[in-house]
Amino acid sequence: MEKLFFQSSLPRSGSTLLQNIMGQNPDFYTTPTSGIIELLYAAKERYTNASEFKTQDKKAMEQAFLSFCGGGIHNYFESLTDKKYVIDKSRGWLGFQGFLNSIHPNPKIICMVRDPRAIFTSFEKKFFSNPLSQVHTATINKGYNTTEKRIDHWVQDPPIGLTLERLYQALKENYTSKMLILRFEDLTFNPQKEIEKVYNYLELPQFKHDFNN
């Protein structure tokens, strides 16, 4: 693996579509929703709270831990693929950028966004498409029996509410100035133009994609 990139997008905003498009390029390994950030969360929690690290030199331990995490990401993907480039997809990167920058300096992050009304509409369609699902039952049992109540619930809780909060905070902290923000509507209307933006942002040569496949 020569370069590692990240995608951290709003739910139902074309993140899987973008991964599938980029995956047409044989130089790219694109993940589904990745679990590697969960490994880093767990490691960070243990490092913060375990007494073994607190009894040693703080600065040395911090540097060693960051090297551990950075090397872990690299070796994780080295064992999965021999392709040049990796795009790791996780909504969590939006809220993890400070730490990510410490273990992978100047990360390139792509964020797909979409009109929130369309996101809620997509969730509502999904809600009704499988009335026997656990999510549907749990939502009904909590009293979210109308579209309005479900939207009030989704806008406050994961996955929509939490991701919107992370994006809002990234805007406040100016992290988004170093990210590539793509609109779902633009990607579906003019995919060639938007994918060219992706390659320019990643500083890689353009590739001819088949947007009909």
Side-chain angles (χ1 to χ4, degrees), residues 128-191:
F128 282 106
S129 68
N130 189 1
L132 298 180
S133 71
Q134 182 179 359
V135 173
H136 184 280
T137 303
T139 305
I140 289 294
N141 290 343
K142 289 182 180 179
Y144 308 130
N145 299 311
T146 65
T147 297
E148 291 78 9
K149 286 184 177 180
R150 285 190 289 275
I151 290 176
D152 285 342
H153 165 63
W154 289 327
V155 80
Q156 297 181 61
D157 292 340
I160 302 178
L162 177 60
T163 313
L164 286 172
E165 288 178 355
R166 286 170 170 168
L167 180 57
Y168 172 71
Q169 191 63 27
L171 285 162
K172 284 182 64 177
E173 297 179 17
N174 202 33
Y175 282 128
T176 50
S177 65
K178 298 180 180 180
M179 295 166 54
L180 176 64
I181 309 293
L182 294 180
R183 295 177 67 247
F184 172 81
E185 295 84 353
D186 294 336
L187 179 63
T188 53
F189 180 74
N190 192 340

Side-chain angles (χ1 to χ4, degrees), residues 21-194:
I21 292 173
M22 297 303 295
Q24 290 181 344
N25 186 330
D27 287 337
F28 273 89
Y29 177 81
T30 58
T31 73
T33 298
S34 170
I36 193 170
I37 195 172
E38 302 301 330
L39 301 178
L40 295 175
Y41 276 140
K44 189 170 184 289
E45 188 276 330
R46 293 309 302 145
Y47 169 76
T48 302
N49 296 306
S51 60
E52 291 83 353
F53 297 111
K54 296 178 181 179
T55 59
Q56 301 182 65
D57 180 79
K58 181 179 179 181
K59 187 174 181 179
M61 287 298 97
E62 286 180 352
Q63 185 57 51
F65 176 68
L66 294 175
S67 296
F68 167 82
C69 293
I73 291 180
H74 179 84
N75 291 328
Y76 177 90
F77 286 112
E78 282 285 320
S79 69
L80 285 176
T81 181
D82 58 0
K83 295 187 176 184
K84 290 183 179 181
Y85 314 121
V86 172
I87 302 180
D88 185 74
K89 186 183 96 165
S90 172
R91 295 188 192 114
W93 295 124
L94 269 176
F96 215 42
Q97 291 191 59
F99 181 65
L100 176 60
N101 189 64
S102 297
I103 62 176
H104 189 86
N106 302 312
K108 288 186 178 290
I109 302 175
I110 303 168
C111 178
M112 296 289 302
V113 298
R114 188 180 187 182
D115 186 327
R117 294 168 296 184
I119 294 176
F120 291 127
T121 298
S122 182
F123 265 78
E124 188 75 346
K125 287 180 178 178
K126 188 175 182 181
F127 177 84
F128 282 106
S129 68
N130 189 1
L132 298 180
S133 71
Q134 182 179 359
V135 173
H136 184 280
T137 303
T139 305
I140 289 294
N141 290 343
K142 289 182 180 179
Y144 308 130
N145 299 311
T146 65
T147 297
E148 291 78 9
K149 286 184 177 180
R150 285 190 289 275
I151 290 176
D152 285 342
H153 165 63
W154 289 327
V155 80
Q156 297 181 61
D157 292 340
I160 302 178
L162 177 60
T163 313
L164 286 172
E165 288 178 355
R166 286 170 170 168
L167 180 57
Y168 172 71
Q169 191 63 27
L171 285 162
K172 284 182 64 177
E173 297 179 17
N174 202 33
Y175 282 128
T176 50
S177 65
K178 298 180 180 180
M179 295 166 54
L180 176 64
I181 309 293
L182 294 180
R183 295 177 67 247
F184 172 81
E185 295 84 353
D186 294 336
L187 179 63
T188 53
F189 180 74
N190 192 340
Q192 180 64 47
K193 180 180 178 181
E194 298 307 299

